[in-house]
Amino acid sequence: MAGVTGNEDRWARWLLGTRHGGDAALREQMLAGTLYPWRDEILDRARLAPGDTLLDVGCGDGLVAFGALDRLGPAGHVIFADISPDLLDHCRAAAAAEGLLGQCSFVRASADSLAPVADGSADVVTTRSVLIYVKDKAAALREFYRVLRPGGRVSLFEPVNRLMRDQHGRFSGYDVRGSRRSWRRSVRSTKRSSRRIPIRC
């Protein structure tokens, strides 16, 4: 798998390789069909202006962050933030290869604790499929507010998984109908088992 050595943390390994099974054609199909449109909508709604500073929380492989750099111009700046050092290293290497390191900062931080990012240092905060994994969402939103300058904007995308099936019942391109049947059987079995367990208070 291109860009994956097997030594990365689990999140980096999934994002850089497992998600598309090491299939370059499938990766391009996912980018063009799903990921780029989501990225573009996030950035459209962020109302970016040339020279803005954008903080991409949970930057992953840099999908949104690099898209922002294209729009911000040479005076713009993007802060890549993620909990995965391997993904930050991946983004740093990609930025260096494109000659963009001077417009980038890289911080290891979780969405609900952005301590390395100074108060009022960003014009825009973006996320894509990040808060779904964050337990304390209110803390994350407080952090977004803290790091934004007056008049700053937040543009985020969070999936509602039950609405993400296509017209053929596939979830992100995968046929999950069998998984759903297994899940329902498991729930039914769990309910039957729980009725057999006496509960004493």
Side-chain angles (χ1 to χ4, degrees):
M1 287 180 269
V4 182
T5 67
N7 298 318
E8 297 88 358
D9 61 62
R10 186 184 343 181
W11 179 231
R13 202 160 44 246
W14 181 83
L15 199 58
L16 299 177
T18 307
R19 175 170 62 175
H20 48 81
D23 184 331
L26 177 59
R27 178 180 181 275
E28 290 304 313
Q29 180 183 335
M30 291 173 71
L31 285 168
T34 306
L35 297 175
Y36 285 155
W38 286 344
R39 175 203 64 189
D40 292 343
E41 184 164 359
I42 292 166
L43 294 174
D44 289 345
R45 291 175 182 269
R47 303 192 317 273
L48 300 179
D52 274 353
T53 293
L54 178 141
L55 168 63
D56 188 30
V57 177
C59 64
D61 60 0
L63 177 77
V64 174
F66 285 113
L69 282 168
D70 287 342
R71 299 184 183 211
L72 292 173
H77 190 84
V78 171
I79 304 167
F80 293 68
D82 205 282
I83 60 171
S84 166
D86 293 323
L87 286 171
L88 291 172
D89 287 345
H90 171 83
C91 291
R92 188 180 290 107
E98 296 294 325
L100 297 170
L101 271 180
Q103 292 181 253
C104 303
S105 300
F106 303 88
V107 298
R108 186 177 181 194
S110 61
D112 56 357
S113 182
L114 295 168
V117 183
D119 295 1
S121 58
D123 299 290
V124 178
V125 171
T126 56
T127 72
R128 187 191 69 80
S129 302
V130 171
L131 294 178
I132 189 173
Y133 301 109
V134 175
K135 182 175 182 181
D136 193 344
K137 294 172 177 54
L141 293 173
R142 286 192 296 271
E143 283 291 83
F144 296 176
Y145 180 79
R146 177 184 66 78
V147 302
L148 283 170
R149 297 183 177 119
R153 287 94 60 203
V154 174
S155 182
L156 57 88
F157 169 93
E158 292 297 326
V160 180
N161 286 342
R162 66 187 177 84
L163 302 179
M164 292 178 64
R165 294 189 299 272
D166 65 17
Q167 65 269 26
H168 305 293
R170 293 185 301 246
F171 178 82
S172 292
Y174 296 96
D175 185 347
V176 295
R177 288 171 293 185
S179 299
R180 183 184 296 174
R181 285 192 293 271
S182 297
W183 177 79
R184 285 178 177 157
R185 283 196 298 271
S186 174
V187 169
R188 285 196 295 270
S189 175
T190 301
K191 286 180 178 176
R192 284 196 298 270
S193 297
S194 67
R195 284 197 289 269
R196 298 188 191 115
I197 300 172
I199 299 174
R200 295 184 176 87
C201 298

